[in-house]
Amino acid sequence: MDFVIIKFMKETRIVFMGTPDFAAHVLTKLIENDYNIVGIVTQQDKKVGRKQILTPPPVKVVAKNYNIPVFQPYRIRKEFDDILKLEPELIITCAYGQIIPKELLDYPKHKCINTHASLLPKYRGGAPIQWAIINGEKETGISIMYMNEKMDEGDILYQKSLDIDIKDTSTSLFNRLAILASEMLIDFLPSFLSGEFIALPQDNSLATYAYNLKKEDEFISFDDDVLTVYNHIRGLLDNPGAYGIIDNKKIKFLDVDFTYDMSDEPGKFLGLVNSKIAIACKSGAILVNLLQQESKKALNAKDFYNGAGKNLENKYFEKH
């Protein structure tokens, strides 16, 4: 495509809407490629950690670094006038976290497009990466789509798939998908802004959903086959994390593997095996490399076993 035409396209007034690290990576790529980001919309600052320190979303940090105006509406359905004043010609959303009102969707010349971390129509919703791993999927991907008033139901503009490795955690997959999303968006935008694209409706009969994780989803029961348990744990790493309860103590699992070479009654604490804490499941055992007892510091398996772990041998983790 002609350089002059691309330069003109990059002058398009873009409002970017997103919140977590995933979105921050995509935003940074747009800025580095000289797209005209006239405003950022993100969620409100949140209190984080034991000390409850008020912390800005990653997207806000990027925006401040590049002196881009930031808007943090509590409810965007009612608080969007300041965004319209920016006169956006395109709105790009990426893991923003709120439903965009029709007034915003219809305003830009090029409408509103979303970068979603799944192969739509599979895994519509707010936690597609975690649920893809939890459910043992072998692949996922990125979908760039038009937005409408429904959740992730807009026409597909561009898709690419990505294999899920058996060692992937939600964090490692987040990072790989963020890179893919950034590359796809930079590759796609020139064609999109010039009108050289095809929008394909989704087949709603194939839709599945990945709703936001709840506190109860973080609880791990070992009364399942070992691969199911392993997928559940790694799908929650490193955030929000997964835990089990044994002897009335909450144990958070920070790094795990699995084996089919040992088994016992599901949930049984088998002790230290080859420098790893072994916990029995159906058809195998979870091998824990790093774990953390509630209100304690994180420990490797050997140090944990030499402390509290010895007293847990032959006891059982709670079930569902």
Side-chain angles (χ1 to χ4, degrees), residues 51-175:
K51 295 184 179 180
Q52 292 291 280
I53 297 173
L54 194 63
T55 304
V59 161
K60 181 178 179 180
V61 175
V62 173
K64 292 295 185 183
N65 288 340
Y66 288 94
N67 296 313
I68 301 172
V70 177
F71 302 90
Q72 295 176 277
Y74 182 71
R75 291 184 180 176
I76 197 169
R77 283 182 176 275
K78 296 182 178 180
E79 305 169 55
F80 54 80
D81 287 345
D82 287 338
I83 302 169
L84 293 179
K85 289 176 183 177
L86 295 172
E87 300 181 344
E89 297 171 277
L90 171 65
I91 293 175
I92 298 175
T93 69
C94 181
Y96 170 53
Q98 293 192 47
I99 300 296
I100 312 302
K102 184 172 173 39
E103 290 88 345
L104 275 180
L105 294 176
D106 291 345
Y107 181 88
K109 170 185 175 182
H110 298 288
K111 302 301 181 183
C112 186
I113 64 174
N114 181 40
T115 304
H116 184 76
S118 81
L119 296 174
L120 292 170
K122 294 185 70 173
Y123 293 108
R124 294 172 175 172
I129 296 174
Q130 294 96 327
W131 284 112
I133 295 177
I134 290 170
N135 291 338
E137 298 286 357
K138 298 295 190 295
E139 73 168 5
T140 183
I142 294 293
S143 300
I144 298 175
M145 51 174 282
Y146 270 130
M147 291 192 70
N148 59 27
E149 292 179 274
K150 297 181 179 179
M151 185 175 65
D152 300 325
E153 290 192 21
D155 292 353
I156 302 296
L157 299 165
Y158 189 27
Q159 271 188 338
K160 277 191 175 181
S161 62
L162 183 73
D163 290 340
I164 300 177
D165 189 87
I166 192 66
K167 296 291 187 180
D168 267 322
T169 66
S170 60
T171 296
S172 67
L173 191 56
F174 260 103
N175 293 337

Side-chain angles (χ1 to χ4, degrees), residues 216-263:
E216 51 263 37
D217 295 320
E218 299 170 27
F219 174 76
I220 301 299
S221 171
F222 294 88
D223 194 29
D224 274 311
D225 72 88
V226 67
L227 189 56
T228 297
V229 177
Y230 172 71
N231 289 338
H232 192 169
I233 295 173
R234 70 190 180 103
L236 299 171
L237 297 180
D238 298 293
N239 184 39
Y243 71 90
I245 297 174
I246 184 171
D247 200 25
N248 296 316
K249 298 178 178 69
K250 182 184 284 190
I251 306 292
K252 196 169 186 179
F253 309 111
L254 305 177
D255 183 23
V256 301
D257 207 334
F258 72 101
T259 180
Y260 292 114
D261 293 337
M262 66 178 76
S263 64

